[in-house]
């Protein structure tokens, strides 16, 4: 069975694919429904004074002009740290976005999950070539799915062929469409999410294609829990958050509230953002169990960069697992060259290659990317799920 191509692949990665079932096209479409001040601000310092981020600042302003309520980035390079923002954190009060604001990171969660599984492999607790069936007997069965033929590695690099639960029309209507307002506080177990995917046939035979599937990482989280005997979030906290001092990062489980400081998150719930009649909804509060290990985490710009830079520098994984992390399979669409284990490599218009991940969930589009040596990195967030951050990324690394 062929791999999905073109806009589907591009949108899945740029949206983090947690909300891709409804918002994939909205994330890149022009929007006029929101209004916000377009003036970008930057923290004082040498980087801002010498204009090294002028292109990035202009891209932030352009993102707000395109309809985003607010956008926030932080850059780290050999000159130090630069914070930039445009628009607002709260459309009601007009509060500007702050450098320490926390936000839902969506599919950036996948990078944390993959790192934990790689650490477990290094410890001899599992092997990435183990079958899913070995760890989760009988879970991946139905309509042609067979966990006996799928490896843990194939979950992490999206070559398993397992259908994504976020592509199920009924799930999408309830969780991403207008019905979200009635179901935003519902709790979903990982077993329920996998069962949604099992209603459908696989996208292709294991190892015979590539397709971004959120089910892969829900299963990966379940494997961590089986191997560790505790919630996967506790393993992330024990292995990554505490050692790196990532105090703004959390795995919220079923908690619907956002930790402070944070702004609001806005969505059109799949409606056309270019239609003046489209209503923008405040979707800040939600039960993140709807995404589980595929996209439930919360963080901020500083923590995400600290994590990615430590990961790329080999501080979290031994050499053999670093080779596995960065061993990629081809994607080859719109500059996104290849996907590794919870990270991907993107070639920008100027030829620069950056590593990291993007994430999308209701009202929140995020990214953390860096050069392979980790010396130049950027994390950012837009608090409206109909506008993306690709132009900001291009501006920082190519501008």
């Amino acid at each position: 069975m062929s791999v999905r191509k073109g806009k589907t692949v591009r949108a899945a990665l740029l949206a983090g694919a947690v909300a891709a079932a409804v918002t994939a096209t909205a994330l890149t479409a022009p929007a006029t429904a929101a209004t916000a001040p377009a003036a970008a601000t930057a923290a004082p310092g040498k980087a801002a004074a010498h204009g090294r981020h002028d292109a990035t600042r202009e891209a932030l302003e352009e993102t707000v002009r395109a309809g985003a309520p607010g956008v926030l980035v932080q850059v780290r390079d050999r000159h130090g740290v630069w914070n930039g923002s445009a628009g607002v954190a709260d459309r009601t009060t007009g509060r500007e976005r702050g450098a320490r604001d926390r936000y839902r990171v969506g599919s950036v969660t996948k990078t944390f999950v993959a790192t934990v599984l790689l650490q477990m492999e290094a410890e001899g607790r599992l092997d990435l070539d183990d079958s899913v069936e070995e760890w989760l007997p009988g879970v991946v069965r139905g309509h042609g799915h067979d966990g006996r033929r799928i490896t843990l590695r194939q979950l992490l690099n999206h070559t398993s062929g397992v259908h994504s639960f976020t592509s199920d029309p009924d799930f999408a209507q309830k969780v991403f469409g207008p019905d979200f307002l009635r179901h935003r506080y519902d709790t979903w177990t990982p077993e329920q999410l996998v069962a949604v995917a099992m209603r459908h046939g696989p996208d292709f035979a294991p190892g015979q294609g590539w397709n971004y599937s959120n089910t892969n990482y829900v299963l990966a989280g379940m494997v961590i829990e089986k191997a560790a005997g505790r919630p996967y979030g506790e393993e992330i906290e024990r292995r990554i958050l505490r050692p790196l001092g990532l105090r703004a990062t959390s795995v919220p489980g079923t908690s619907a509230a956002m930790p402070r400081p944070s702004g609001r998150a806005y969505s059109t719930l799949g409606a056309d953002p270019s239609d003046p009649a489209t209503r923008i909804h405040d979707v800040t509060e939600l039960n993140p169990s709807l995404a589980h290990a595929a996209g439930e985490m919360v963080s901020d710009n500083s923590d995400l960069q600290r994590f990615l830079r430590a990961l790329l520098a080999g501080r979290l994984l031994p050499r053999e697992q670093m080779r596995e992390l960065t061993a990629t399979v081809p994607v080859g669409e719109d500059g996104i060259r290849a996907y590794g284990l919870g990270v991907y490599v993107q070639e920008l218009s100027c030829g620069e290659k950056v590593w990291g991940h993007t994430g999308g969930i209701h009202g929140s589009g995020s990214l953390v990317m860096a050069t392979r040596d980790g010396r130049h990195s950027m994390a950012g967030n837009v608090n409206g799920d109909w506008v993306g951050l690709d132009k900001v990324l291009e501006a920082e690394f190519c501008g």
Side-chain angles (χ1 to χ4, degrees), residues 42-49 81-83:
K46 291 184 178 180
V81 179
W82 179 82
N83 292 291

Side-chain angles (χ1 to χ4, degrees), residues 64-81:
V64 173
R65 288 195 295 269
V71 60
L72 177 70
V73 300
Q74 184 185 89
V75 175
R76 292 178 181 266
D77 58 20
R78 63 188 179 89
H79 302 290
V81 179

Side-chain angles (χ1 to χ4, degrees), residues 259-305:
R260 296 181 179 179
S262 59
R264 310 303 293 175
Y266 300 99
S267 178
T268 64
L269 298 178
D272 182 359
S274 65
D275 184 347
T278 291
R279 182 180 176 185
I280 295 176
H281 302 272
D282 186 322
V283 295
T284 307
E285 289 195 357
L286 58 83
N287 186 329
S289 66
L290 63 88
H292 193 251
E296 72 168 284
M297 290 179 69
V298 170
S299 190
D300 70 1
N301 284 340
S302 180
D303 273 14
L304 288 183
Q305 288 185 94

Side-chain angles (χ1 to χ4, degrees), residues 378-398:
M378 185 183 86
N381 175 263
V382 58
N383 62 347
D385 60 19
W386 59 92
V387 183
L389 289 167
D390 21 345
K391 290 183 179 179
V392 180
L393 180 68
E394 280 275 343
E396 176 55 35
F397 288 92
C398 293

Side-chain angles (χ1 to χ4, degrees), residues 125-138:
R125 303 180 69 172
L126 52 76
D127 191 304
L128 292 190
D129 293 321
D130 291 344
S131 72
V132 174
E133 181 74 10
E134 181 175 341
W135 289 97
L136 305 173

Side-chain angles (χ1 to χ4, degrees), residues 72-327:
L72 177 70
V73 300
Q74 184 185 89
V75 175
R76 292 178 181 266
D77 58 20
R78 63 188 179 89
H79 302 290
V81 179
W82 179 82
N83 292 291
S85 65
V88 296
D90 188 318
R91 297 174 74 240
T92 301
T93 67
R95 180 177 82 79
E96 295 181 354
R97 302 207 68 179
R100 296 177 59 247
D101 277 358
R102 302 178 189 186
Y103 49 81
R104 301 190 191 278
V105 304
S107 283
V108 179
T109 303
K110 293 178 171 68
T111 312
F112 289 85
V113 170
T115 301
V116 169
L117 276 177
L118 284 161
Q119 289 178 341
M120 287 182 156
E121 182 188 57
E123 296 161 2
R125 303 180 69 172
L126 52 76
D127 191 304
L128 292 190
D129 293 321
D130 291 344
S131 72
V132 174
E133 181 74 10
E134 181 175 341
W135 289 97
L136 305 173
V139 173
V140 182
R141 294 289 179 88
H143 292 90
H145 287 98
D146 186 350
R148 295 170 298 183
R149 301 176 56 207
I150 300 167
T151 67
L152 305 185
R153 189 183 314 277
Q154 289 170 336
L155 295 180
L156 297 185
N157 66 13
H158 295 296
T159 61
S160 69
V162 173
H163 191 80
S164 184
F165 65 92
T166 50
S167 296
D168 178 84
D170 292 338
F171 181 87
Q173 174 67 22
K174 179 179 289 187
V175 174
F176 300 124
D179 287 353
F180 164 80
L181 299 175
R182 291 191 294 113
H183 293 283
R184 66 195 303 165
Y185 300 114
D186 291 358
T187 293
W188 293 81
T189 67
E191 291 80 8
Q192 286 176 315
L193 298 177
V194 174
V196 170
M198 294 301 105
R199 299 172 189 163
H200 304 268
D203 296 325
F204 46 80
Q208 299 303 304
W210 187 93
N211 194 38
Y212 194 99
S213 171
N214 287 300
T215 313
N216 286 330
Y217 274 77
V218 171
L219 291 166
M222 294 171 70
V223 171
I224 291 173
E225 295 183 347
K226 187 71 173 289
R230 61 175 63 92
Y232 88 94
E234 291 184 13
E235 284 297 288
I236 288 177
E237 182 178 356
R238 184 176 72 86
R239 293 170 173 271
I240 301 174
L241 306 190
R242 286 205 295 263
L244 294 180
L246 306 184
R247 295 180 179 85
T249 305
S250 59
V251 185
T254 59
S255 176
M258 282 291 294
R260 296 181 179 179
S262 59
R264 310 303 293 175
Y266 300 99
S267 178
T268 64
L269 298 178
D272 182 359
S274 65
D275 184 347
T278 291
R279 182 180 176 185
I280 295 176
H281 302 272
D282 186 322
V283 295
T284 307
E285 289 195 357
L286 58 83
N287 186 329
S289 66
L290 63 88
H292 193 251
E296 72 168 284
M297 290 179 69
V298 170
S299 190
D300 70 1
N301 284 340
S302 180
D303 273 14
L304 288 183
Q305 288 185 94
R306 193 180 311 165
F307 165 57
L308 183 61
R309 290 164 77 98
L311 180 62
L312 294 178
R315 291 174 51 200
L316 295 173
L317 297 172
R319 184 173 299 177
E320 175 58 31
Q321 278 65 43
M322 284 299 297
R323 283 195 289 266
E324 293 183 283
L325 175 80
T326 55

